[in-house]
Amino acid sequence: MATHEATGESVADSVGWRTKFRYVLNGDFVRSLPFWGIPFVIMGIAVYGGIGYNIAISLTDTAGIGPVDWSSLDLEMYSQALAEPAVHRAAMNTFVLLVAFTAICLVLGLFLAVLLDRQFRFKQQTQMIYLLPMSLSFVVTAKLWVWMYDAEVGVINVVLGLFGISPINFLGNPSFSLAAIIFALIWQFSGYTMIVYLAGLQSIPESQFEAAQIDGASTIRIYLRVIIPQLKAASVSAAVVLMVFALKTFTFLYALTGGYTPPKGTDILATLMMREAFNNVQWAYGAAIATMLLIMALGVISPYLYYQHRQGSL
Amino acid sequence: MANITIETLTKRFDDVVAVDDVNVDIEDGEFIVLVGPSGCGKTTTLRMIAGLETPSEGQIQFDGDLMNYRTPQNRDVAMVFQDYALYPHMTVRGNMKFGLEEEPDFTDEERKQRVEEVAELLDISELLDRRPEELSGGQQQRVALGRAIVRDPEVFLMDEPLSNLDAKLRAQMRTELQQLQEQLDVTTVYVTHDQTEAMTMSDRMVVMNDGVLQQVGEPLELYHEPTNMFVAQFIGEPSMNFLDGSYEDEAFVSEQLAYPFDDRITDGLSAVSDNDRLVLGIRPEDIELHDPDGEPQGETSHENHTAAMSVTVVEPMGNENVIHLTFPDSSSGTEDLIAIADGMRRIDADSDIHVHIPPEAVHVFDAETGDALYNRRLEHEGNVIQI
C-alpha cells in the first residue's frame, strides 16, 4: 500500500510547474484577457477611477493651486452646498429641465410617430426632416437658437412683431430662459423619440388595429387602449436616452454663451460645478456638486436598470 | 342576424383587379364559405364586407341597408382573424370585454356576466385571467372566437381562422365551429383555401378564382355538378382526373383512349361538333380497378369502357390506397390517372391492371373555355339528391 501511495505522489510531482503553467496559460480566462482586459483597465481608470478621485477630493477642503491635503476628511463641503440657495436653484433647474424635456419629447415624438404611421406619400422624406436636427451637434443648435431668440433681429421676435407683440428677450429674461432652452432641446431631440416610437408602432400587426375597429373602437380609442399601451418598452428606452441627453445639456449652455455662466435662470448643476471648480478654483466644493449630480443621474437610470432586470436582460 | 346582398362587387388595387364583379345573396343565419386558391380575392371580399376595404364598384347590403361607406365600427360585424389579433397587453377577459366596453348601453356587471357566459360556452373560463402569450394556439383561437361571439353581432366574418392549428385540432374545431354557428344562428362568412373545410362546414360555398366567382352552391352540388374545370379540380381530394382529347363519332378519342359516349351524354353534347377539343373528367373515387385475370368485366374493350393500364405508384392511406396509373404506351411517361382503391385491397406498383371508367360518372368539359358540357346526373343512379 505504502509503495502505491508513494508512486501516486511521485506521479503528481512529475506533473511539473511548467505543465501547470501552460495549462493556466491555455485557459479561457487568460486567452480572452487581451480582448476584455484592455478596455476594462481603461474604463476602470478613466471612468471609475475618476469618479473615485472626485469623491475623495470632495471630502477634503482643497481650494486654489497646491497639493491636496488629505489630513481632514469630512462632509463639510456637502453641508455647505446643501445650504447654498444657488445650489438649490441649479438642482431645481436641472430637475425641471430633465422632466419637462423628457416628457414633452416623448409626447411630441409619439404624436409625430402616430401621424407618420398612417400611410401617406413622401413618408420617408418627412421622417428625415424630423430626424435631421438630431444629427447636428449641440454647438450648432446653440448658435442657431441664439440667433432665433435674438431680442432684436431674431426670427421669432420678427414673426411675433408681425402680430404686434413687442420683442421678448427670451434668453435674457429669467422667466423665459429655461423654457426657451428646453424648447430648443426638444426641437433637436423629438425626432429621435419619433423614430423609436415609429419602430415600435410598425412592429404592431395591422390586424390589431383592424380588430379594434371591428370591435367598435374609434381611432382615438384604438390608440389609447390598444396601440399606445404596447409601446411601453419603446417609451422606457427613449426616456433613458433623453434623460442622458438632458444631463448633458452643459455642452448646449456652454456653447450658448461661450462660458460657464449660462443665461440667468438656466443655471444647472453641471454649469455651477464647472464655475465653482474652474473659475473660483473651489476644487472640493465643485467635486461635491459633481457627486450630487452623479447621484441624481443614478437615480434617473436606476428605474431603467430595475426594469431591465425584471425583464431578465440584466 | 342579417342577410347580406353583394352586387357587382369589384375591387381594384391600382392596376390589379382583386375582386371582379361578384354577385352573391347570403341568407339570414347561413354559413357561407368563400373558398379558392391564394390570391383569388376571397379575403378581399371578406374585408369589404367588414368595411376594412372600400369597394371600387358595386354594393354590399345588410338587410337592404347599403354598407359601402359605413365604417367597420358601425356595421355590427365581428371578425376572427387568421393571426387572431388578440391584444397582447390585455388578459383574455380584457380582450373579450374590449368590444363590449365600446358599446355604451351595457352596465359593467352585464359586460362581466356576458364575458363569463361566452367563456363558459367555449370552455375557456379558467383562462380568463391569463394573457394571450401564455396560451397555446388552440386556446388563442378560442379566445378570438369568444371575442367575436361575446358581441352578439349581425354577421360573423372569419378569415382562415383554423389555418394556424395542427391537423387534428383543426378537424375538431371544424365540427365545433359548425355546431356553434348552428346554435347561435348568426350569418357567417368564412374564408378558407382548404376545400375540406369548405365542404364540411358550409351551408353553401362560393368558389372563386382570380377574383372571379366561379360557382355558388351547396357542397354536394359543387362536387357533382361543377360548372367548369376549375371548380371540378378544386373540389375533391385527390383532384378530378382530366384527359385531353376530341369528339369523334359520338366518342371521346385521345391518343391512348377511345371512349364511346352513350345517349345520355351525347344528348348533352348537342352543341359539340366532330373534332372539337374536349376534356373528359373522372373522379378518382369513381374509377373501378379490375384484376386482368379475373372476372369477365375485366375484359378491355371500348364498349365496356375499360382500358389496360399499369400502376406506377401506390400511396397507402390505411382506409384507402391512392393508385397512380399510366397507359402502357404512354410516351411521356407521366401518370395519366389517379384512382382510389379500397385499403384492404392489395395492388402492387408496376403491375398491370384493367381500369373501368363508368359512363354514369364521367364529366365532359369544353377544352377551350373549361366550361362543363355534361355533368353526371345523380338521378340516373337511382339515389336522387335534392339540390
Side-chain angles (χ1 to χ4, degrees), chain B residues 153-167:
Chain B
E154 294 278 323
V155 178
F156 276 139
L157 304 172
M158 305 200 185
D159 186 5
E160 310 212 11
L162 304 184
S163 61
N164 289 353
L165 303 180
D166 62 67

Side-chain angles (χ1 to χ4, degrees), chain A residues 236 240 243-244 247 294-310 314:
Chain A
V236 170
V240 166
M243 285 174 174
V244 169
L247 290 169
L294 175 73
I295 290 166
M296 206 167 156
L298 286 178
V300 164
I301 203 91
S302 55
Y304 173 72
L305 295 178
Y306 177 68
Y307 176 81
Q308 289 277 302
H309 178 69
R310 256 202 358 207
L314 206 76

